[in-house]
Amino acid sequence: DTDAKAIEHAAQIVDFCKQLKCKLRGFNSHGVEFANGSRIDCITAGGEDPGRGGQVHRLHVTELPFWRQPLRNYQALRSSCADTAQVLIETTMDLQNDPEWVAKLWDDAGAGKNEFHRHFWKVEDHRSYRSDKPITDEQWERAKLEGFKRRKAAAWWFHEGLQRCAGSELMLMHDFPQKEEHLFAAGLGRVILSDPPVATVDGHLT
């Protein structure tokens, strides 16, 4: 993430540790060190010192497609991990980033060609995406073809979601996908399969 975000995440971790009364050896603007020698570091991609080889036991990567060199920097971070390290990749997508490598990561996970497991969270899975505004029976029939089972979720998609996407249905499907095939709608009207809006781990993409 950005350096400002890394500092923000570190501050949240420090606050959580204080609330949980964890025994700390020290902390700074980029992480904490516990009394037993374990550390949590929040750093930006492409840093000069991501960690010594084998020293990282849990790696949380955010916004991977937005990195300037996602493959190179991810591999550098992964080489710092212990063999049993748990890796979480969490990302959103938009029409401006370069998705090819992350899309391959996603597709290979589905084909069993890497160590990850993928999980797609469709827009209907998010409870905050609900609306009491009415939709027509025609809109509801169309929504069901897109996989919706909750009318209030479909109402949010057609009203608030479409408004957030400046009336563009292509952008709506991409930014608030209900189907996996919506994930990589591109600027020229193509749908490129397929990348996760979110990825999870234990070596598991979600």
Side-chain angles (χ1 to χ4, degrees):
D1 220 323
T2 64
D3 193 54
K5 280 290 186 181
I7 292 173
E8 180 182 329
H9 294 325
Q12 291 174 336
I13 291 170
V14 171
D15 185 53
F16 291 151
C17 289
K18 289 180 178 179
Q19 291 182 48
L20 295 171
K21 298 181 179 179
C22 300
K23 295 182 179 180
L24 301 179
R25 183 177 296 174
F27 59 88
N28 57 37
S29 61
H30 282 84
V32 300
E33 183 175 0
F34 296 91
N36 65 359
S38 298
R39 295 174 53 180
I40 298 177
D41 293 310
C42 300
I43 60 176
T44 58
E48 295 180 359
D49 185 22
R52 291 172 293 176
Q55 296 299 304
V56 177
H57 294 275
R58 297 183 70 91
L59 177 64
H60 182 184
V61 174
T62 61
E63 306 299 3
L64 183 58
F66 296 87
W67 294 9
R68 185 169 300 173
Q69 297 178 318
L71 176 58
R72 178 180 177 183
N73 287 320
Y74 174 73
Q75 288 178 336
L77 288 169
R78 195 68 178 87
S79 68
S80 301
C81 293
D83 291 339
T84 57
Q86 296 179 325
V87 181
L88 166 66
I89 299 177
E90 176 185 347
T91 186
T92 55
M93 296 299 303
D94 71 16
L95 302 182
Q96 282 72 51
N97 56 37
D98 184 10
E100 284 86 355
W101 180 69
V102 181
K104 185 177 187 304
L105 199 66
W106 174 258
D107 290 335
D108 284 353
K113 295 180 179 180
N114 60 32
E115 74 270 28
F116 291 101
H117 298 285
R118 67 186 192 179
H119 179 71
F120 168 64
W121 286 333
K122 56 186 180 290
V123 65
E124 191 175 52
D125 290 338
H126 299 268
R127 294 183 180 180
S128 59
Y129 295 155
R130 302 286 189 270
S131 175
D132 291 323
K133 293 182 178 179
I135 57 175
T136 65
D137 289 340
E138 181 181 355
Q139 286 176 315
W140 176 231
E141 289 303 316
R142 179 186 167 194
K144 287 192 289 186
L145 291 176
E146 298 295 347
F148 282 95
K149 295 182 179 179
R150 296 180 175 88
R151 190 159 182 146
K152 286 188 176 182
W156 185 93
W157 207 57
F158 281 113
H159 291 293
E160 281 82 354
L162 194 59
Q163 183 177 9
R164 291 189 188 187
C165 295
S168 168
E169 292 195 5
L170 175 63
M171 189 178 294
L172 173 67
M173 288 190 294
H174 175 276
D175 288 1
F176 301 99
Q178 179 65 15
K179 291 181 176 180
E180 286 190 26
E181 53 262 40
H182 294 162
L183 289 171
F184 276 95
L188 296 178
R190 295 176 291 121
V191 175
I192 306 172
L193 294 178
S194 70
D195 195 65
V198 179
T200 195
V201 101
D202 261 77
H204 299 324
L205 267 183
T206 282

